[in-house]
């Protein structure tokens, strides 16, 4: 009976060693996936908060990720031998050890290529691609477009928090609201032109008496007969048959969103952040085309309802789990960061190496 028990114990441990490799792959892939994803998101949120306090953003790129698993097993027998003719006894003893040693190397993301990517205005055709991929036009245009013809979307917000509220936002908000409604009705659309850096923009000629179409033309100062126009990404005055557009850089978008990071009264009174005013009163950045879709809250203690949180300035800055608008905008921002950053240098995505010998 003792021998049978010992043999069964040995079989169990040998089986565990044999299956340890596949189990390690499955569990480690999910664990590292969650850890790396959360790290990237926290870093982006932290950099947005830093910009609110006029501190430099800083990015780290995870390099090769290596982890090793080590197992050990021991088997033995303990027994009593009775020389006086009594019964002998034997009992098996086993031992099992496990260790896990991950190593990851982080590299600061810097250099002229990265700075150029961060400060280069986004390509309008890429913004339209995002819109056609299902992103709300008001959200994409509200964040990334700084100017359409003479209508401005807070160009002063593309840098450190301004002291005075940006003027003329209502006309821009009205324009993108109208374009969104017309797009849903099938009366507005665009497509990439064969000419580099240009997009074709059209208003349905069958709806020439549509008050929304006419309102768009008046806002953009277009000819009443215009139905198909060429959109250019350049700094020049438009004519009645052409639209001029200016886009933000990725850094400009981060700055714009940072203005709606909530700062406690103690930080404002000590001058740690700039308080924007309009007509002598504090300006609410939630009323801007970008701020209405993004807000970061502050809590002295770790938030119980935080979708994403980072500790900073002896407090916690977080995105509320129920704030679907901000969560959607943050997801869009991650897409824009992936789209824009790293265009001119090699992909440094981390690789995971796991020895799985049992």
């Amino acid at each position: 009976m003792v021998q049978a028990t010992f043999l069964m114990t040995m079989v169990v441990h040998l089986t565990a060693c044999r299956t340890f490799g596949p189990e390690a792959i499955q569990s480690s892939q999910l664990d590292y996936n969650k850890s790396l994803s959360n790290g990237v998101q926290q870093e982006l949120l932290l950099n947005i908060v830093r910009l609110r306090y006029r501190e430099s953003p800083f990015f780290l790129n995870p390099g090769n990720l290596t982890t090793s698993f080590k197992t050990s097993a021991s088997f033995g027998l303990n027994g009593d031998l009775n020389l006086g003719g009594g019964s002998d006894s034997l009992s098996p003893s086993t031992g099992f050890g496990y260790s896990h040693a991950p190593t990851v190397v982080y590299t600061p993301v810097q250099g002229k290529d990265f700075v150029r990517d961060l400060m280069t205005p986004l390509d309008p055709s890429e913004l339209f691609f995002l819109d056609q991929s299902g992103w709300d036009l008001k959200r994409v245009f509200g964040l990334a477009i700084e100017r359409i013809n003479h209508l401005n979307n807070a160009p002063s917000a593309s840098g450190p928090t301004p002291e005075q509220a940006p003027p003329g936002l209502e006309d821009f908000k009205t324009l993108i609201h109208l374009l969104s409604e017309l797009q849903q009705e099938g009366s507005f659309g665009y497509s990439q032109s064969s000419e580099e850096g240009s997009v074709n923009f059209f208003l349905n000629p069958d709806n020439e008496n549509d008050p929304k179409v006419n309102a768009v033309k008046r806002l953009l100062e277009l000819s009443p007969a215009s139905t198909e126009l060429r959109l250019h990404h350049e700094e020049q005055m438009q004519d009645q048959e052409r639209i001029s557009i200016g886009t933000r850089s990725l850094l400009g978008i981060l700055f714009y969103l940072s203005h709606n990071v909530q700062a406690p009264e103690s930080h404002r009174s000590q001058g740690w952040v700039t308080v924007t005013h309009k007509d002598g009163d504090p300006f609410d950045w939630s009323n801007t085309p970008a701020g209405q879709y993004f807000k970061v809250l502050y809590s002295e203690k770790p938030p119980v309802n935080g979708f994403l949180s980072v500790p900073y300035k002896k407090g916690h800055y977080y995105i509320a789990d129920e704030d679907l608008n901000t969560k959607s905008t943050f997801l869009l921002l991650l897409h824009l960061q992936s789209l824009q950053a790293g265009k001119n240098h090699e992909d440094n995505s981390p690789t995971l190496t796991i020895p799985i010998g049992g």
Side-chain angles (χ1 to χ4, degrees), residues 108-330:
V109 183
Q110 53 191 358
K112 63 179 182 180
D113 287 339
F114 173 72
V115 173
R116 181 168 59 246
D117 292 341
L118 200 61
M119 301 185 68
T120 299
L122 300 177
D123 186 338
S125 62
E126 294 176 345
L127 299 182
F128 298 139
F129 171 76
L130 287 171
D131 174 45
Q132 292 175 339
S133 298
W135 288 100
D136 181 24
L137 180 148
K138 297 190 297 294
R139 190 186 308 273
V140 176
F141 283 20
L143 264 67
I145 292 185
E146 194 171 78
R147 175 189 55 78
I148 300 180
N149 284 1
H150 60 285
L151 301 183
N152 289 325
N153 176 19
S156 62
S158 295
T161 306
E163 295 184 356
Q164 297 299 321
L169 291 177
E170 291 307 315
D171 284 345
F172 189 90
K173 290 168 65 176
T174 299
L175 173 66
I176 59 177
H177 181 76
L178 288 170
L179 291 177
S180 178
E181 289 189 346
L182 289 171
Q183 185 184 49
Q184 294 175 15
E185 297 169 3
S187 298
F188 160 71
Y190 42 79
S191 60
Q192 190 166 1
S193 172
S194 57
E195 181 181 341
E196 184 178 358
S198 180
V199 174
N200 291 329
F201 176 107
F202 68 85
L203 296 166
N204 194 335
D206 297 333
N207 294 344
E208 59 181 351
N209 295 321
D210 188 329
K212 296 177 185 177
V213 173
N214 292 330
V216 168
K217 292 179 180 179
R218 285 195 300 272
L219 283 169
L220 295 177
E221 298 182 356
L222 300 173
S223 167
S226 300
T227 58
E228 184 172 351
L229 308 107
R230 183 65 57 82
L231 188 150
H232 286 272
H233 183 211
E234 53 189 22
E235 291 289 342
Q236 66 175 35
M237 293 300 294
Q238 82 286 352
D239 55 39
Q240 290 191 324
E241 302 297 333
R242 188 165 55 179
I243 294 176
S244 175
I245 185 173
T247 60
R248 281 188 164 85
S249 65
L250 180 58
L251 183 60
I253 294 174
L254 295 179
F255 265 119
Y256 197 0
L257 295 177
S258 74
H259 307 322
N260 210 27
V261 171
Q262 183 184 71
E265 175 58 34
S266 59
H267 293 186
R268 297 196 297 270
S269 62
Q270 293 180 73
W272 290 3
V273 296
T274 299
V275 179
T276 305
H277 289 86
K278 182 178 182 180
D279 300 327
D281 297 321
F283 177 68
D284 185 2
W285 284 93
S286 295
N287 293 326
T288 63
Q292 63 182 325
Y293 294 110
F294 186 84
K295 187 171 187 177
V296 176
L297 304 176
Y298 173 85
S299 173
E300 292 184 352
K301 298 180 179 180
V304 296
N305 64 329
F307 157 71
L308 189 66
S309 174
V310 291
Y312 193 73
K313 299 288 186 184
K314 298 182 180 180
H316 298 267
Y317 290 85
Y318 70 98
I319 295 173
D321 209 6
E322 66 273 15
D323 187 355
L324 300 183
N325 250 337
T326 298
K327 290 167 71 174
S328 296
T329 300
F330 193 77

Side-chain angles (χ1 to χ4, degrees), residues 43 59-64 104-109 346-350:
E43 180 183 70
F59 295 88
L60 289 174
N61 184 50
N64 288 345
V104 61
V105 178
Y106 290 95
T107 304
V109 183
E346 296 179 0
D347 179 22
N348 292 316
S349 300

